[in-house]
Amino acid sequence: MKRDSFWFPFEPNRWLANEKLALVSLASKGLWIHLVCLIYKANAGGRLVINGNPPTPEQISRMVGQDAKPLLQELEVAGVYEIKDGAIFHGGTAETLADMNKRSAGYASRSTKDRPSMSHRCTIDEPSMHHPSPIDEQKIGHNNNNNNNNNNNNIKKEREGLRPTLAEWIAFAKEIGWRQTDAESAFDYYQSNGWRVGGRASVKDWRACARNCQRRNQNQKKGDDLMSISSLEFDGMKKVKYENNCNNSK
């Protein structure tokens, strides 16, 4: 009996360990899994039939969109299937179908109160998958949106926690003895580039950032002082040399 809605068991380990399938090409394996689906759908004791009749190689070729004759021959020669009553037949599928139909009949004969809350996975007509109703889908979508909004809010809060206010920045500058004008200039710089170090990596610890800025200001000031001293010394040397030249000329 043909089934419009069905499922069937698939064991990857058995598929990979099948010696007969190992003899055929990848294209033949793809065709075979397609035929297995049709055999389960037909539910005709392991025989491949469509509308009660076995499809010809030409019809199978039209179904898959390419010439299936050499692939069918490769599968038959390897012993993956056999011909029974003029149709492609697979013994393992026939046994599985018989067991599934037997379990389905036993499940259907039980009263509603005796049935377990979850449907048996061996039944064909009653798979255990639950399709959500439109209302459930709306709830799921609403919950997902809430979760996304919460995540975005948490990220925003964490990011804001890494950025001080101007008052916090100036208060910390006073604690470490940093000149306020230099501290305000540094704050404006980081505020304008989104609190990034070198314009790339985000600031992880704004207090450490402030201390680094203070050290750079101090080093720069020392360099400026040294340049000023050097200029004075240079001017003094020129003055001494000029006086010596004047004395020598007398």
Side-chain angles (χ1 to χ4, degrees):
M1 180 177 63
K2 179 182 176 181
R3 305 285 183 175
D4 293 327
S5 177
F6 69 99
W7 72 275
F8 64 88
F10 181 82
E11 299 182 37
N13 289 336
R14 292 185 61 183
W15 172 275
L16 296 173
N18 191 307
E19 297 178 353
K20 297 177 181 178
L21 279 174
L23 300 176
V24 303
S25 63
L26 183 62
S28 295
K29 291 185 177 73
L31 174 63
W32 178 239
I33 193 64
H34 185 90
L35 297 180
V36 168
C37 292
L38 294 176
I39 293 173
Y40 273 101
K41 184 176 182 180
N43 195 20
R47 295 168 60 247
L48 174 58
V49 295
I50 299 177
N51 293 328
N53 299 313
T56 64
E58 291 79 9
Q59 291 173 327
I60 294 176
S61 298
R62 285 194 290 271
M63 282 192 297
V64 298
Q66 70 176 68
D67 185 12
K69 292 180 181 179
L71 303 180
L72 289 170
Q73 184 178 5
E74 184 180 5
L75 290 167
E76 185 178 4
V77 171
V80 176
Y81 72 84
E82 58 183 299
I83 301 297
K84 184 177 181 180
D85 298 331
I88 292 176
F89 172 80
H90 185 246
T93 305
E95 294 176 1
T96 304
L97 277 168
D99 181 65
M100 293 171 67
N101 289 327
K102 182 179 179 181
R103 292 175 179 269
S104 296
Y107 181 79
S109 63
R110 299 169 66 179
S111 62
T112 305
K113 64 179 182 178
D114 292 333
R115 295 181 184 179
S117 58
M118 295 182 61
S119 59
H120 292 287
R121 284 193 172 273
C122 60
T123 61
I124 297 178
D125 295 325
E126 301 185 31
S128 60
M129 293 181 63
H130 168 68
H131 298 281
S133 65
I135 297 178
D136 292 334
E137 291 179 348
Q138 292 177 2
K139 291 181 179 179
I140 293 172
H142 179 70
N143 291 335
N144 289 337
N145 291 334
N146 288 339
N147 292 335
N148 292 334
N149 292 334
N150 291 335
N151 291 335
N152 293 334
N153 291 335
N154 292 336
I155 294 173
K156 185 177 180 180
K157 289 180 180 179
E158 291 177 0
R159 189 177 300 164
E160 291 175 349
L162 300 174
R163 301 179 181 181
T165 62
L166 178 59
E168 292 173 335
W169 182 268
I170 297 301
F172 185 70
K174 292 180 180 179
E175 290 181 13
I176 61 177
W178 189 13
R179 193 169 59 178
Q180 183 170 341
T181 55
D182 293 339
E184 290 177 350
S185 298
F187 180 86
D188 292 338
Y189 169 76
Y190 283 108
Q191 189 73 8
S192 64
N193 76 350
W195 289 91
R196 295 183 178 276
V197 179
R200 296 181 180 180
S202 299
V203 173
K204 302 296 184 182
D205 185 344
W206 66 265
R207 291 179 177 82
C209 179
R211 289 191 292 267
N212 287 332
C213 290
Q214 182 197 25
R215 282 191 288 270
R216 283 197 297 268
N217 288 148
Q218 291 175 343
N219 293 335
Q220 184 177 4
K221 186 178 179 181
K222 290 179 181 178
D224 293 341
D225 293 341
L226 289 174
M227 290 181 64
S228 299
I229 294 172
S230 298
S231 298
L232 292 172
E233 290 177 349
F234 181 71
D235 292 340
M237 290 173 64
K238 287 196 299 182
K239 183 177 180 181
V240 171
K241 184 177 181 181
Y242 174 76
E243 291 177 348
N244 291 335
N245 289 334
C246 291
N247 294 327
N248 291 333
S249 63
K250 291 180 179 178

